[in-house]
Amino acid sequence: MKQTESPLKYAEVGSTCGAPDDVWPIDKRYALFTAVIIFFIGMFDLVDRQVIASLFPHLKEEFALSDKQLGLLVSAVNISISVLVEPSAYLVDHWSRKKMIFLMGTIWSVSTLLCGFVTGFTHLLMARLLCGFGEAGYQPAGQSLLSACFPRKFRATATAIVTCGMSLGAPVGLMIGAFVSEHWGWRHAFGVVAIPGLLLSFLALRMHDFKVVAAEAPKKKGFWAQRGDYLATLREIVKMPTVLCVICSAVCIRMFNGVLLSWTPTYFTRVAEVPMTVASTYASLIIVAESLAIFLGGPVVDWVKSRSNRLVPIWLCFAMLSSGALYVIAYKLCQPGSMMQVALLVTSSLIFGTVFSAGTFLIVDLTAANYRATAISLMILSQNLLGYSVGPIVTGTISDMFNLSTAMVMSSFVLLAGAIFYGICIFSYPRDKERSTCVDIEFH
């Protein structure tokens, strides 16, 4: 039987691959326009996703929900993302990145708008599931497109732009939700945050996309042959130990961040007994600190990598250990709602934020453009199915069993586990980097 050639070996040569690391693959103006659009779409992705966390008290009162049900409303988005992220990533690599961004943004914006018209928990849960279906393909498309627009020298910075926009959207969603619900009611909050994402989705159609330049025109294949190539691609991706460790660490990071985004406002209102507006302000300070660190973390990782490949996972391991320890101290030893606790949580988030985009950067750095979205989707699938979707539910369950303060302390320990996986990358990343491939691309 003739052995099928690995799809990762397809069109590995070209002028793009041979260009210096500081050369822009596309005109810098177009690259920056793409960065701005993807940043703001990503921001409103998280605004639409996280606005519900600031509405927990209103939803609990109106629909008589338990903490477990509130956590499920957050996790539902991540569960539905997990269902569609792989087929969405396949379309990204084989269809169009900018059209996928437009389609995803439109779906999640409309579904967020529908949340304002629900009449019970079941309807709200269905709308949240639809929101997750819309968000499934955005990050693979955005990361794949933006990383291709930037020079290899600035890849970590490019991936940080996407992640920073998404992270910044969380506190914006919390503040808008708290303000609008207090003055006009919780239903109006969904409508206010849905419109900007819809408008930005149409602007995404003006971005430039790219295609892989092949040495030979690919032969037309049937469905089963294409499926075989896709499975072969997946096998080649997971053969890299660094990718597997990055995925495991990303699960730990997103599991804790899901808890941080979903339960921090409720923690301050319930445990510290402060008004919802004050609680949302505290939560926003913590998450904004994380967002700023994400943006600064990209250039830091680029600088560290320019010194040595091995220094990147060393830094990430240290950041995970130190931030995890500080979160445990803040929730366990500090007076809830005190300035000391808030300051320590902000400091922890400044360190924690630097690791956020690093996982995507490592995957982008090890994969070629023609299957990069597929590789990123594996991480997104894992971090949503095992991270974001699990964290809020488990925390809500522990809170129902004990109390929310205990649940927050226990959730912080997951960062210490994530540090172990980056510790393994100290040895695997340099070897995987030497074996990584490249393809030639052109923009259109």
Side-chain angles (χ1 to χ4, degrees):
M1 181 180 294
K2 184 178 179 180
Q3 186 175 3
T4 303
E5 184 178 358
S6 168
L8 303 190
K9 303 297 184 182
Y10 181 71
E12 293 177 6
V13 295
S15 59
T16 302
C17 294
D21 286 352
D22 59 350
V23 170
W24 290 79
I26 189 174
D27 189 287
K28 188 182 295 187
R29 292 172 300 174
Y30 292 121
L32 294 179
F33 173 77
T34 301
V36 170
I37 296 299
I38 289 179
F39 174 88
F40 281 106
I41 292 180
M43 187 180 78
F44 278 97
D45 176 355
L46 262 291
V47 167
D48 290 5
R49 189 190 305 188
Q50 290 302 136
V51 67
I52 197 168
S54 64
L55 308 178
F56 275 1
H58 304 285
L59 298 174
K60 189 178 184 70
E61 180 181 355
E62 179 152 344
F63 299 128
L65 304 182
S66 67
D67 284 351
K68 186 176 181 179
Q69 288 176 307
L70 293 174
L72 182 58
L73 290 174
V74 177
S75 300
V77 176
N78 306 105
I79 293 171
S80 53
I81 288 175
S82 302
V83 172
L84 285 186
V85 67
E86 285 298 320
S88 296
Y90 182 85
L91 286 176
V92 169
D93 280 332
H94 294 82
W95 178 44
S96 171
R97 293 151 196 85
K98 70 177 184 180
K99 290 179 182 178
M100 180 60 75
I101 293 172
F102 161 75
L103 180 62
M104 296 290 98
T106 301
I107 293 175
W108 86 56
S109 297
V110 171
S111 62
T112 299
L113 187 63
L114 292 176
C115 289
F117 297 93
V118 299
T119 57
F121 172 75
T122 302
H123 293 160
L124 184 56
L125 181 62
M126 292 174 63
R128 294 289 290 172
L129 286 169
L130 181 60
C131 183
F133 289 149
E135 295 177 2
Y138 165 72
Q139 195 172 354
Q143 292 284 16
S144 178
L145 178 57
L146 194 58
S147 63
C149 291
F150 276 62
R152 287 190 291 269
K153 182 179 180 180
F154 303 121
R155 272 181 174 171
T157 301
T159 57
I161 289 173
V162 181
T163 312
C164 180
M166 297 180 72
S167 181
L168 189 61
V172 173
L174 291 176
M175 289 187 291
I176 292 177
F179 180 83
V180 174
S181 63
E182 184 176 327
H183 291 81
W184 297 290
W186 65 267
R187 294 182 184 274
H188 290 82
F190 288 113
V192 169
V193 300
I195 301 302
L198 192 60
L199 298 177
L200 286 164
S201 298
F202 282 90
L203 284 177
L205 293 174
R206 300 188 61 84
M207 298 187 300
H208 286 257
D209 207 343
F210 70 85
K211 64 179 180 180
V212 174
V213 180
E216 300 178 0
K219 297 180 180 179
K220 293 184 179 181
K221 299 180 178 181
F223 170 77
W224 294 106
Q226 291 179 4
R227 190 185 72 163
D229 281 353
Y230 179 71
L231 295 177
T233 300
L234 292 181
R235 285 195 296 268
E236 291 295 325
I237 291 171
V238 299
K239 281 182 181 179
M240 291 183 281
T242 302
V243 173
L244 294 177
C245 289
V246 165
I247 289 174
C248 291
S249 187
V251 168
C252 296
I253 291 171
R254 264 56 180 191
M255 184 181 294
F256 176 74
N257 195 60
V259 174
L260 199 66
L261 296 177
S262 303
W263 288 108
T264 299
T266 304
Y267 170 82
F268 283 117
T269 56
R270 185 182 303 176
V271 181
E273 298 181 343
V274 300
M276 189 62 202
T277 304
V278 177
S280 295
T281 302
Y282 286 165
S284 297
L285 285 174
I286 294 167
I287 301 170
V288 165
E290 178 186 288
S291 302
L292 293 175
I294 291 172
F295 182 75
L296 296 176
V300 168
V301 171
D302 279 328
W303 180 84
V304 170
K305 186 179 182 297
S306 67
R307 269 50 184 177
S308 171
N309 286 333
R310 197 181 298 274
L311 286 178
V312 175
I314 290 176
W315 160 251
L316 298 177
C317 183
F318 168 78
M320 292 279 284
L321 284 172
S322 55
S323 61
L326 289 175
Y327 278 120
V328 171
I329 293 172
Y331 287 121
K332 182 67 175 178
L333 302 180
C334 294
Q335 177 69 28
S338 65
M339 289 298 102
M340 175 63 74
Q341 186 191 47
V342 174
L344 194 56
L345 290 172
V346 168
T347 302
S348 306
S349 295
L350 285 171
I351 302 173
F352 177 52
T354 61
V355 307
F356 241 74
S357 62
T360 304
F361 157 72
L362 290 174
I363 290 179
V364 167
D365 200 46
L366 294 173
T367 55
N370 58 323
Y371 64 94
R372 189 168 291 154
T374 300
I376 293 173
S377 72
L378 288 177
M379 182 182 70
I380 296 173
L381 171 64
S382 302
Q383 68 190 22
N384 280 280
L385 189 62
L386 303 175
Y388 276 132
S389 61
V390 172
I393 293 178
V394 171
T395 301
T397 302
I398 296 174
S399 176
D400 287 335
M401 294 172 60
F402 302 99
N403 55 67
L404 186 54
S405 183
T406 300
M408 298 300 284
V409 172
M410 294 180 66
S411 66
S412 302
F413 280 99
V414 75
L415 296 182
L416 306 181
I420 297 175
F421 295 108
Y422 274 134
I424 299 174
C425 292
I426 295 173
F427 306 98
S428 65
Y429 175 53
R431 293 196 300 269
D432 287 339
K433 179 61 179 173
E434 291 178 358
R435 296 194 293 265
S436 61
T437 60
C438 182
V439 297
D440 194 22
I441 64 173
E442 66 179 16
F443 283 85
H444 57 87

